[in-house]
Amino acid sequence: MKKYILDLKVQQVEQIHQRYVLIKLTDEKPLPEMLPGQFVEVRVDGSTSTFLRRPISINFVDRDANELWLLVATVGDGTRTLAKLQSGDTLNCVLPLGNGFTAAKAGEKVLLVGGGVGVAPLLYMGAEMKRQGIEPTFLLGARTANDLLMLPIFNRYGRVYVTTEDGSMGEKGFVTNHSLLSNERFDRISTCGPTPMMKAVARYARQNGIDCEASLENLMACGLGACLCCVEKTTEGNLCVCKDGPVFNIKKLLWQD
């Protein structure tokens, strides 16, 4: 897929949580094709300590509004600088990068499991499934009800189930403890979030003979497979998450053992 370097205009920056902002970007021309699970590398201007681009998952693409949404966790100087962007500013992006999730097929029952900022690519995945006439099921986990992100929007595209560690919303515990996994059978699972969560989801999928893909969140710098800082050990040798992923079938990942 062709890659672009674009100066995108900031439409809106919304503080949706004390640690997360939603940045909506647009362009004068139609945005290029992007697939669920792909990501962008953004240049951080105005930060004296951020020299490399930052990889951000594609959260949503609104074709009607010609908008690209990026859900950003403000965890360092670079992302805190991004959170200070204002409407009318310009954000330089390289996109789309990496390989996305396998597209759902008619009749498939697909479960999308996310935690923390890892829910970001699952929204676009679910929206694309809905557009194709396939209803996704979301299983989203967080520490507390306050940490569950974008729930009203997820509800537009499919069934939503949640877990919280403190029991303040949904079922108490982790996503792999949810009764949904005992009560229903799925053909495929796609997951993104903290590595321990994804490993637990992968273990459940393997034990139940369910095809599963995981979107890894290794540290990435170049986004093109040149710097080798995001290498992951797989059954095919060491692969760059940015170029060969970030989405991998769990059968390829050695961390499942």
Side-chain angles (χ1 to χ4, degrees), residues 157-252:
Y157 299 107
R159 298 185 300 156
V160 179
Y161 297 84
V162 302
T163 65
T164 50
E165 293 179 27
D166 67 353
S168 53
M169 182 177 286
E171 295 188 13
K172 184 176 182 179
F174 302 116
V175 288
T176 47
N177 303 132
H178 200 285
S179 60
L180 175 70
L181 300 182
S182 301
N183 297 334
E184 295 192 33
R185 170 77 184 187
F186 294 91
D187 300 309
R188 185 149 53 87
I189 297 174
S190 297
T191 184
C192 185
T195 298
M197 184 210 77
M198 290 196 293
K199 287 183 177 181
V201 172
R203 186 162 51 249
Y204 165 83
R206 183 172 54 176
Q207 290 171 349
N208 289 274
I210 303 172
D211 193 42
C212 180
E213 292 181 328
S215 179
L216 305 192
E217 296 184 324
N218 295 30
L219 292 175
M220 291 184 270
C222 72
L224 301 171
C227 68
L228 304 180
C229 77
C230 64
V231 166
E232 180 74 24
K233 294 180 179 179
T234 76
T235 57
E236 299 176 358
N238 291 337
L239 297 179
C240 290
V241 170
C242 67
K243 180 173 67 71
D244 301 302
V247 177
F248 291 91
N249 191 294
I250 62 167
K251 294 177 182 178
K252 287 186 178 182

Side-chain angles (χ1 to χ4, degrees), residues 16 21 27 34 84 141 168 182 206 214 228:
I16 63 172
V21 295
D27 195 19
M34 291 171 269
K84 296 176 183 177
S168 53
S182 301
R206 183 172 54 176
L228 304 180

Side-chain angles (χ1 to χ4, degrees), residues 9-36:
K9 180 182 177 181
V10 177
Q11 286 281 75
Q12 182 182 9
V13 179
E14 182 181 355
Q15 187 84 42
I16 63 172
H17 184 278
Q18 61 183 358
R19 297 192 304 273
Y20 299 96
V21 295
L22 179 62
I23 302 175
K24 297 182 179 182
L25 305 167
T26 190
D27 195 19
E28 294 180 355
K29 298 180 180 178
L31 291 168
E33 179 186 2
M34 291 171 269
L35 302 176

